[in-house]
Amino acid sequence: DADLNEARFTWLHEHRNAVETALGQTPSWDPMSGRKGARIVVTSTFDDISESERWPEMTTWLIKQQIRFRGALSAVGGVAALRDIRPL
């Protein structure tokens, strides 16, 4: 549901200071206006996914980012807080 996704993104964006503190970095907040989804993005320094010798390093980075994002969501009330949000 596009309206629900927008409401949840807006709520998270309103709590961005806590999210960014928990992440330990400033992500890009992209509401993707006019689309069903939205995204909060952190980028790596990896340039080429085909560099298979760096896959273990890339995998470690991805796992750490997932853990940070989960921590950031927990810092603002977790999934339960997002479930309580209703579109206007």
Side-chain angles (χ1 to χ4, degrees):
D1 179 300
D3 292 334
L4 179 58
N5 290 340
E6 181 180 358
R8 288 176 172 168
F9 178 84
T10 298
W11 186 88
L12 284 168
H13 193 258
E14 289 169 355
H15 293 85
R16 70 184 171 278
N17 289 336
V19 170
E20 292 174 357
T21 297
L23 275 176
Q25 58 191 307
T26 304
S28 170
W29 294 83
D30 183 0
M32 297 174 58
S33 298
R35 309 251 332 248
K36 183 177 180 180
R39 58 184 162 211
I40 303 168
V41 179
V42 295
T43 55
S44 75
T45 58
F46 303 110
D47 294 329
D48 188 354
I49 195 167
S50 69
E51 295 176 3
S52 59
E53 69 278 0
R54 296 191 71 194
W55 286 355
E57 183 183 356
M58 292 178 192
T59 301
T60 298
W61 182 86
L62 287 168
I63 292 168
K64 286 182 179 179
Q65 296 311 308
Q66 178 67 17
I67 291 167
R68 286 182 178 154
F69 268 105
R70 287 175 184 244
L73 185 55
S74 291
V76 294
V79 173
L82 293 177
R83 284 188 188 128
D84 291 338
I85 295 170
R86 300 288 178 255
L88 298 174

